[in-house]
Every structure is written in structure tokens, then in C-alpha cells.
């Protein structure tokens, strides 16, 4: 399954005006505006395009926005920053409800998994559930007026930063925020190494911290001192290995939570049994990667 790397977004986030800016306050809009444009574009696309890719791109755009607002948190009013990050999470969750069904369906039906997991008879029910989730996602995003909300968030944050009396050198600021994100990832990796194999939350926290750091390196890469190729390689390994684990865990929970929808259609227990075995296998794989890093 595709991980969080939509074509074209990285280049926009690392825009030339941001690289040339002297202060973090001055650079903010150059980082944020392209991300806002992408999110609005993808939100509009979801209205017409029911494909998994459109929803995936929207969710990734909103996650990148949330990470950028986290990066600039020290320079923004705390309450407003928290509200904006909560908004991005809410919108991403709305898009994610449909995306979760896509992942579940793909896991159970690709290759010969359908035969082993007993998916054949429940497949139509899964597609029906996916269709209902898409309708809800579209309604939520439409009612939220994504374009207005994101433009207003960008305007509010940009105004606050542009009128600030203090100026923070962009490179110094970027180095500090990346360092803070790196410390968070190392702390969570340490906890996950010590955690019991059944403690999925510890593994999930590693995935989230790794994703945030990767976004920050994509934002600030051109202005950071020293290369980060080795770090990015490690982050991609974490994202791939822990992402596949998350897919299985989220799919297993989704199937359990919607057991009533599948009643009378095949054998959902067979699918749950297969997902449970796959979760344990991928948990071992994720733990093995942690030991190597």
C-alpha cells in the first residue's frame, strides 16, 4: 500500500521563497500556502473522485499541515495553534474513515488472501460499507467548508507571525525543531524496544514520531546544515514497516467494530483470524527493525 508521499507535494513544501527567507516568521507562508492549496485541491477532488488515491492524498496533505503547525508552535499563540492542529486532525479523520475500508478490502482480497481469510462471501458487504463511509466523508468535508477553514487558518497564522516584534533566524529555528522531533522519536523508540510485544500503542507512537520528523526534514531540508540522507533512509524503513503493521491493526479493529454490518454474509471470523495472525507476524517484523536501528 502507498505510504505518505504524494507526488508533487514535497517540491511545493520546499519552495524557493522559503529557502531564501531570513527569518522563520517570514518563511512560514511559503511553506504553508502550497500545502493549503494542495489540501483544498484534494478536498474538491474527493467530491468527484471516489478512488482510494484521492482520499489518501487529502489525508496526507492534512497530516503535513498538522506537522507544519507543530513545527511553528513556539512562534504561534498556543491556544490557536492547538485548535488548528485539532482541525487538521478532524478533517484527516473524516477522509480516513473511507480510506480505512479501502485498506481492509485490499488486505483481504489481494493475491490469494481472499481464499485464506474467507473474504469471498463478505466482499459485497465490505464494498457497501465503503460506499456508506465515502458518503459520510464527502458530507463531512463539504459541511466543514474546507477551503474557507484552511484559508482562514493560513491567514490568521501568517498575520500573527508577520506582526511579531521578534525575528527568529530560519536555519536556527529549523535546526531546533528538527532536533526536538528527533529527541521525541528516539524516546519513543526506546520505549517500544522495552515494551511487551502486545503493546501496539508503543509501536504506533514510533510511527507517528517518525512520520513527523520525516515531514520536517522535507520542509527544512534545503536549509539544514549537514546531510540527512541516513536519517531519511531510517525513517522510510520505519514508515514502511510500521505502516504495514498499522494497516493490519486498524483493519482488525474496523472489522470487529462493524461485525453487525457483516452478519449473515460469509464468515467474518475467518477474516479476523487471518488478520490476527498477520498482526503478530508484522509486530515481530517491526520489533526486529527496532533492534537493528
Amino acid at each position: 500500500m502507498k505510504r505518505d508521499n504524494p507526488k508533487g507535494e514535497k517540491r511545493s513544501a520546499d519552495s524557493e521563497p522559503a529557502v531564501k527567507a531570513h527569518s522563520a516568521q517570514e518563511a512560514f507562508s511559503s511553506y504553508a500556502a502550497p500545502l493549503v492549496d494542495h489540501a483544498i485541491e484534494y478536498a474538491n477532488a474527493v467530491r468527484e473522485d471516489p478512488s482510494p488515491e484521492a482520499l489518501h492524498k487529502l489525508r496526507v496533505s492534512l497530516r503535513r499541515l498538522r506537522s507544519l503547525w507543530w513545527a511553528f508552535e513556539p512562534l504561534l499563540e498556543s491556544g490557536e495553534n492547538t485548535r488548528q492542529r485539532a482541525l487538521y486532525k478532524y478533517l484527516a479523520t473524516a477522509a480516513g474513515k473511507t480510506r480505512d475500508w479501502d485498506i481492509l478490502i485490499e488486505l483481504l482480497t489481494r493475491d490469494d488472501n481472499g481464499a485464506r481469510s474467507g473474504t469471498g462471501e463478505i466482499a459485497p458487504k465490505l464494498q457497501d460499507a465503503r460506499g456508506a463511509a465515502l458518503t459520510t466523508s464527502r458530507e463531512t468535508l463539504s459541511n466543514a467548508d474546507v477551503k474557507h477553514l484552511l484559508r482562514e487558518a493560513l491567514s490568521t497564522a501568517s498575520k500573527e507571525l508577520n506582526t511579531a516584534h521578534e525575528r527568529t533566524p530560519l536555519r536556527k529555528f529549523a535546526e531546533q525543531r528538527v532536533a526536538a522531533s528527533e529527541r521525541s522519536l528516539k524516546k519513543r523508540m526506546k520505549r517500544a524496544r522495552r515494551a511487551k510485544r502486545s503493546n501496539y500503542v508503543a509501536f504506533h507512537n514510533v510511527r507517528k514520531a517518525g512520520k513527523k520528523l520525516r515531514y520536517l526534514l522535507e520542509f527544512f531540508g534545503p536549509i539544514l546544515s549537514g546531510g540527512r540522507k541516513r536519517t531519511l533512509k531510517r525513517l522510510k524503513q520505519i514508515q514502511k514497516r510500521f505502516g504495514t503493521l498499522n494497516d493490519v491493526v486498524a483493519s482488525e479493529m474496523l472489522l470487529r467494530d462493524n461485525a453487525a454490518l457483516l452478519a449473515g454474509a460469509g464468515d467474518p471470523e475467518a477474516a479476523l483470524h487471518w488478520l490476527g495472525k498477520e498482526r503478530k507476524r508484522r509486530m515481530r517484523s517491526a520489533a526486529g527493525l527496532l533492534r537493528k536501528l
Side-chain angles (χ1 to χ4, degrees):
M1 281 160 223
K2 296 184 179 179
R3 299 267 72 88
D4 299 356
N5 187 25
K7 183 177 180 181
E9 280 203 14
K10 180 180 177 181
R11 186 66 182 174
S12 296
D14 295 342
S15 58
E16 193 67 21
V19 174
K20 293 182 177 180
H22 295 292
S23 71
Q25 288 85 351
E26 180 185 355
F28 173 77
S29 292
S30 295
Y31 287 121
L35 296 180
V36 167
D37 288 342
H38 278 119
I40 293 172
E41 176 187 347
Y42 296 142
N44 290 335
V46 167
R47 298 177 186 172
E48 307 296 331
D49 183 3
S51 72
E53 190 64 17
L55 288 157
H56 177 63
K57 287 182 176 180
L58 173 58
R59 186 159 65 166
V60 171
S61 294
L62 291 164
R63 285 173 172 171
R64 288 170 64 85
L65 277 170
R66 193 163 181 248
S67 294
L68 184 67
W69 255 252
W70 178 89
F72 279 83
E73 183 178 22
L75 306 181
L76 293 167
E77 193 274 319
S78 177
E80 180 63 21
N81 181 276
T82 299
R83 284 189 290 274
Q84 293 304 330
R85 289 172 60 203
L87 168 64
Y88 302 143
K89 183 177 182 179
Y90 168 75
L91 295 175
T93 298
K97 290 183 182 301
T98 304
R99 179 63 182 157
D100 288 344
W101 283 104
D102 289 325
I103 293 171
L104 171 60
I105 292 168
E106 183 178 346
L107 274 172
L108 295 181
T109 59
R110 69 184 180 188
D111 301 325
D112 64 337
N113 289 351
R116 286 184 285 133
S117 61
T119 309
E121 294 183 33
I122 65 172
K125 289 276 190 177
L126 295 176
Q127 289 293 346
D128 289 344
R130 195 265 183 190
L134 176 61
T135 298
T136 301
S137 293
R138 283 172 164 170
E139 288 178 353
T140 300
L141 294 169
S142 177
N143 292 337
D145 192 357
V146 173
K147 180 177 180 179
H148 173 74
L149 287 175
L150 297 189
R151 293 286 187 216
E152 185 177 34
L154 174 61
S155 176
T156 299
S158 298
K159 182 178 179 180
E160 181 182 351
L161 292 170
N162 289 334
T163 56
H165 295 298
E166 296 184 8
R167 300 282 107 176
T168 307
L170 177 57
R171 175 174 289 181
K172 178 181 178 182
F173 176 78
E175 295 277 5
Q176 290 175 341
R177 297 308 284 158
V178 168
S181 185
E182 286 178 329
R183 288 193 298 271
S184 176
L185 175 59
K186 289 179 181 178
K187 183 184 297 184
R188 294 184 178 195
M189 288 174 67
K190 185 176 181 180
R191 289 176 181 171
R193 289 191 189 102
R194 295 176 176 177
K196 293 181 179 179
R197 193 64 57 81
S198 60
N199 186 358
Y200 169 69
V201 174
F203 286 74
H204 185 55
N205 286 337
V206 170
R207 175 175 172 266
K208 291 193 296 183
K211 187 177 297 184
K212 181 184 293 182
L213 176 56
R214 183 179 177 183
Y215 290 157
L216 263 61
L217 290 177
E218 290 175 354
F219 295 145
F220 299 132
I223 61 170
L224 296 173
S225 59
R228 294 296 203 283
K229 288 185 178 180
R230 179 177 294 182
T231 300
L232 279 171
K233 182 179 179 180
R234 292 173 63 202
L235 293 174
K236 289 177 181 178
Q237 288 178 310
I238 290 173
Q239 186 170 315
K240 181 178 181 180
R241 191 77 60 89
F242 284 66
T244 57
L245 169 61
N246 181 72
D247 286 345
V248 172
V249 173
S251 294
E252 189 177 9
M253 291 177 59
L254 184 64
L255 197 56
R256 290 188 185 282
D257 291 344
N258 291 274
L261 295 176
L262 306 175
D267 184 10
E269 288 301 320
L272 285 169
H273 178 70
W274 181 84
L275 286 169
K277 290 175 61 177
E278 190 69 6
R279 167 173 44 80
K280 292 177 182 178
R281 184 182 71 82
R282 297 191 184 192
M283 188 78 84
R284 289 194 298 270
S285 178
L289 177 62
L290 273 181
R291 289 193 294 269
K292 295 178 181 178
L293 295 177

